[in-house]
Amino acid sequence: MAILPVVTYDDPVLRKPAEPVDPDHPGLGKFIDDLFETMYEASGVGLAAPQVGVSLKLFVVDADAITEDEEEDSFGPGVFINPEIEVVDPEKWDAEEGCLSLPDIREKVARPETIRIRYQDRDFNTHEEEHSGWYARVLQHEYDHLRGVLFIDYLGAFRKRLIRKKLEEVRLGKAQTEYQLAPKNSGTDEKE
Ligand code: NI
């Protein structure tokens, strides 16, 4: 297995819809293992393929750490290939989120309480499940990565202004992380 460098929010791969995954995609099993290893190394609860620069509709989660409450769904490692999410209960609730592609930024995000997810597991068996609470939140966050959406997109203008400086530091490669970030392309700095 290998630990993969994580790209940050300013990488265009995080802004485009990911490609469907084919069962005979070369090296898929190893790639999934690498995603898990990278996620655990970074103490993340979820990691989507585009976050390591690979535009595929695939993410992994291990939400055990944050769903300890026995009232909540509690789930260990999961692989979600070609997922589709439908909102079941549109009532939204606020909670703080972070993202490995947005180091050092945590903000409250409003998300629907209950969702239905249809996906394939690593053996390409199809599943359909309903989830609520924290687990539903993690799934929605990771699913967003597959359609070019980041949690900062949900913030109001005021909160966006407050994190502008932190975002700029991340973009310039000055963020300090305990996990490996993909290097910034030097010399090809785009003007804004
Ligand atoms: Ni994320």
Side-chain angles (χ1 to χ4, degrees):
M1 291 203 281
I3 290 170
L4 309 169
V6 174
V7 302
T8 54
Y9 77 97
D10 49 300
D11 193 305
V13 73
L14 286 175
R15 287 312 197 176
K16 62 176 189 182
E19 298 293 324
V21 187
D22 208 65
D24 47 28
H25 188 89
L28 186 61
K30 181 182 187 300
F31 179 60
I32 291 170
D33 292 341
D34 290 347
L35 278 179
F36 273 114
E37 195 181 9
T38 303
M39 176 182 73
Y40 289 130
E41 174 73 14
S43 305
V45 295
L47 185 64
Q51 291 185 273
V52 296
V54 177
S55 192
L56 286 178
K57 286 182 81 175
L58 155 65
F59 63 77
V60 299
V61 299
D62 189 342
D64 261 359
I66 58 154
T67 56
E68 281 166 353
D69 186 340
E70 292 182 10
E71 302 288 306
E72 299 244 22
D73 286 347
S74 179
F75 292 89
V79 179
F80 294 80
I81 297 173
N82 300 322
E84 294 298 335
I85 282 185
E86 219 179 285
V87 174
V88 176
D89 179 355
E91 178 145 1
K92 291 184 178 172
W93 63 294
D94 277 344
E96 226 176 55
E97 294 187 16
C99 179
L100 296 179
S101 297
L102 288 155
D104 212 24
I105 295 170
R106 297 192 66 83
E107 290 288 332
K108 271 190 185 156
V109 179
R111 291 196 191 269
E113 166 73 21
T114 305
I115 54 111
R116 185 174 298 122
I117 185 164
R118 192 183 156 89
Y119 66 95
Q120 282 140 4
D121 61 23
R122 67 187 297 163
D123 300 316
F124 279 81
N125 297 312
T126 300
H127 301 263
E128 196 169 330
E129 298 161 358
E130 200 169 294
H131 294 290
S132 298
W134 270 107
Y135 195 64
R137 175 174 294 275
V138 172
L139 295 177
Q140 289 175 83
H141 176 118
E142 298 310 325
Y143 178 68
D144 274 352
H145 279 306
L146 308 185
R147 53 194 195 104
V149 175
L150 298 169
F151 81 80
I152 50 173
D153 300 345
Y154 297 104
L155 304 180
F158 178 69
R159 296 304 310 172
K160 272 191 186 142
R161 242 190 341 268
L162 287 182
I163 61 168
R164 203 165 54 188
K165 199 170 166 207
K166 274 187 180 173
L167 287 175
E168 186 62 3
E169 281 175 4
V170 173
R171 194 180 70 83
L172 294 172
K174 291 181 185 163
Q176 300 291 320
T177 56
E178 289 180 6
Y179 51 95
Q180 198 190 334
L181 292 177
K184 302 287 172 187
N185 310 333
S186 53
T188 56
D189 261 13
E190 295 157 68
K191 295 242 163 63
E192 287 209 347

